[in-house]
Amino acid sequence: MKRNILLFTCFYLFSVSYAAEYIPITTNNTCLLLKVNDKKRLEQSYFGEKIRNIPETESVDLETFSAYSTFGTNHVFEAALRAVQSDGNTSTELSYVSHTSEKKGDDVFHTVISLKDDYYDLFVDIHYNAYQQDDILEQWVEIRNGQKKTVRLTGYASSDLSFNARQYYVSHFHGDWANEMHISEQQLTEGIKVIDSKLGVRAHQFTHPCFILSLNRPAQENDGTVVGATLAWPGSFRFNFEVNNSNHLRILSGANPYASEYMLETGKVLKTPELLFTYSNKGTGKMTRNFHRWARKYGIKNGNKERSILLNNWEATYFDFDETKLTRIIDDAAKMGFELFLLDDGWFGNKYPRNNDDAGLGDWQTNKSKLPNGIPYLINECKKRNIKFGIWVEPEMVNPKSELYEQHPDWVIAQPHRERTEQRNQLILDLSNPAVQEFVYNTVDQILSSNPGIEYVKWDCNRYVFNSGSSSLSADKQSHLFFDYSKNLLEIMNRVSKKYPHTTFMACSGGGGRIDYGSMKHFDEYWISDNNDPLYRIYTQWGAQYFFPTIGLASHVSVSPNHITRRSFSLKTRFDVAMAAKLGMDLQPAQMSPKEYEFSKNAIQTYKEIRKTILLGDLYRILSPYNSNRTVYMYVNEEQSEAVVFNFLIRKEIYPAPPNFVLQGIDPLKKYKLTEINKDPDNWSRFNKYEGKIFSGDYLMKVGLNFAMYDEYESLVFKLTEVK
Ligand code: GLA
């Protein structure tokens, strides 16, 4: 190809279709350089920091890798696309056809590269959105069958990224119910490492769809090269890391093809989920800030709107409530300063009342004996006290003990001739069935439209898939279930969020079983764990925040001793941990002592004053709970005029002699006043030596601060306020 075609650099993209040797996908600071080789194959020739002059890459032979590998000809490793053509040929060989790039608004470039099989009418469009300011790339693939008969897809990755480094370290996020989002890092060795979920629904209960790749050494917070990636998909996913004989790494990311062959009929398109990824040469800190900033603009519903401080009755009452009890809680909540009351599980079902988790799910009519005056009564009680009202739903599920199941036993996911396996006494509604899709949409729509004034919905999902069969899919398409469930679920979420753009939605899945950017587009908040034990929360929140923004991270002060761990914590520590994210509460103010009541009321008031910085600020991680007795992190607002610093001691220190910890992200030229918040009024504070003092940002970021903390689970929070 001629050099004079190389008219552009990484700065420019045209909104026209043209043939070119290089296709740069760029943001303000990064470049994914793709190349069409002499044989018209699409290759990745560079991914990293933005390069100024692409033609320079011509002067030497840059090592290239297939940008979207296929099975069946000369590729001997795992392939992004595996297709059985309509005549049974198991190979695919894709050639470049054309590409287009267009600017969508000020910040986003959309590039589509069209490829076609050399012989068969199988078309693959690779899409990239490049978010300029926040250095996020978004990639997905659309596969179209132009043949006269069905093509069988057995692998359909969203992205195929290659790396050539000396060493590769991968961090992933894993856990289980009440113990989510732990981080582990491993060095990759030759061969394959797979991080995946096969759960289908509540698919992130054991593993979250995110990874961090660090090149040449373990990931560092403030320097070193890392790539962070997350799949926007509520279903089963797979990240396949393969280090080959030449020590090259290829990462295939996408919906999990396991037990999920897809029969692509004539003229049909399969659109894969989006992979969102970012490159940072300043470690995981910058990676996180890229994701948070991007998410607040594009990734999470109403990402720049302040959240309401809510009181949830779940741990306060469980299923045991009635109108009088709830009215009392609403009254207490309003007096304490809460802005919203969230009614949890247990409000519905009549023939099979929802008095515990074994009945009623699916029957979304208000329970007449608990709530004789219906939901409007509670909404009105909230209105009278000037707070909002929210409600819990779990629309994708059904208890066998329900009227819904009596009417539609064939609506559930199940295999014929196999015993039905329940989890939490419930079955999953089969979202590959159009009638079920309508039911799920209508459930949410009817609850909202027939009860005007519901301003918040907690959308739960409490089990994963066993017996993955569908009575709605034909015999040859049973393997579509996992993919279709998630695709249809996202469509339902989209319909709901379009109809109710101002209603706040929380994604919950028995805790953190569904947190991904496919869902978060339609959800304002996410529930990371049912475990409100502050020590657990320090770890789960720490893990979740690598990819997901604080504005959505709901965190609740709950009962002590904690209902799950039986461990006790001071009210201050419980508040400090919850205030490090989006504050809420799960206990009844009526059960508090006057002193606790006063503390809570003040803390809520304080949170109102600083929440903008916490929810919309930049996060800087200073000390990790994984390698230090103390964990420290801070939020800095956009103007760098306010910061809030959280300190938690997670292990007892008998002779603490901590080194100074230096702050980050503030302005070295500004002066800041230090004030402790949530101070225990009866106790002397370790922070007294700093209280009210003024320091320059320069001092705080070079010399830093030093105060001891002794007691296990002790916490200390202070804020920095610019002094002019
Ligand atoms: C799940 C949620 C909880 C609560 C219960 C209600 O476990 O994670 O927060 O809503 O369901 O049954």
Side-chain angles (χ1 to χ4, degrees), residues 177 180 202 312 314-315 318-319 342-346 348 354 356-357 361 392-394 424 426 458 460-462 506 508-512 527 529-532 556 586:
W177 177 77
E180 293 89 340
R202 195 191 189 182
N312 183 196
W314 178 238
E315 285 194 19
Y318 293 106
F319 298 96
L342 169 60
L343 173 61
D344 215 283
D345 196 356
F348 49 89
R354 180 80 171 162
N356 55 50
D357 61 21
L361 212 48
W392 179 96
V393 289
E394 193 179 2
R424 211 192 187 212
Q426 66 195 55
K458 177 178 178 183
D460 212 337
C461 165
N462 275 300
M506 176 206 254
C508 174
S509 186
W527 186 235
S529 182
D530 280 350
N531 192 342
N532 293 315
H556 292 182
D586 243 81

Side-chain angles (χ1 to χ4, degrees), residues 364-496:
W364 298 103
Q365 297 76 37
T366 312
N367 178 283
K368 294 206 171 76
S369 67
K370 284 184 193 172
L371 303 172
N373 295 301
I375 298 299
Y377 174 86
L378 296 174
I379 295 176
N380 199 36
E381 289 305 302
C382 286
K383 272 205 182 120
K384 283 199 271 185
R385 293 163 180 86
N386 207 17
I387 65 171
K388 299 174 197 159
F389 177 82
I391 201 161
W392 179 96
V393 289
E394 193 179 2
E396 302 151 67
M397 301 284 162
V398 62
N399 283 127
K401 234 200 251 178
S402 68
E403 293 183 74
L404 179 68
Y405 189 74
E406 284 174 350
Q407 287 152 20
H408 300 287
D410 57 330
W411 273 13
V412 299
I413 290 179
Q415 299 275 22
H417 321 303
R418 307 285 174 210
E419 193 188 334
R420 272 184 197 187
T421 329
E422 293 167 19
Q423 253 188 343
R424 211 192 187 212
N425 308 304
Q426 66 195 55
L427 298 166
I428 307 176
L429 294 174
D430 173 9
L431 279 188
S432 64
N433 180 342
V436 173
Q437 292 162 29
E438 273 319 289
F439 171 83
V440 171
Y441 172 77
N442 287 335
T443 297
V444 185
D445 184 34
Q446 270 164 26
I447 293 169
L448 286 172
S449 59
S450 57
N451 298 295
I454 296 181
E455 296 192 54
Y456 187 104
V457 176
K458 177 178 178 183
W459 182 320
D460 212 337
C461 165
N462 275 300
R463 68 158 292 180
Y464 48 80
V465 179
F466 295 140
N467 303 352
S468 53
S470 159
S471 59
S472 142
L473 292 169
S474 57
D476 63 330
K477 290 191 183 141
Q478 287 292 310
S479 56
H480 289 201
L481 181 64
F482 286 121
F483 192 89
D484 282 358
Y485 188 102
S486 291
K487 176 171 76 73
N488 296 334
L489 176 67
L490 290 176
E491 273 164 23
I492 295 165
M493 288 171 171
N494 187 30
R495 275 171 81 188
V496 171

Side-chain angles (χ1 to χ4, degrees), residues 197-267:
S197 160
K198 299 185 181 73
L199 302 182
V201 177
R202 195 191 189 182
H204 312 145
Q205 184 173 343
F206 305 150
T207 328
H208 302 272
C210 317
F211 69 83
I212 302 167
L213 169 72
S214 178
L215 300 181
N216 300 322
R217 59 176 173 154
Q220 312 288 310
E221 183 61 10
N222 290 316
D223 59 358
T225 302
V226 299
V227 174
T230 178
L231 193 74
W233 190 239
S236 299
F237 65 88
R238 187 172 76 167
F239 300 129
N240 191 90
F241 303 85
E242 184 165 20
V243 178
N244 71 10
N245 53 315
S246 309
N247 202 44
H248 296 153
L249 168 66
R250 175 179 295 277
I251 307 176
L252 303 179
S253 307
N256 200 338
Y258 179 80
S260 293
E261 284 187 3
Y262 214 89
M263 312 304 278
L264 196 62
E265 290 172 348
T266 310

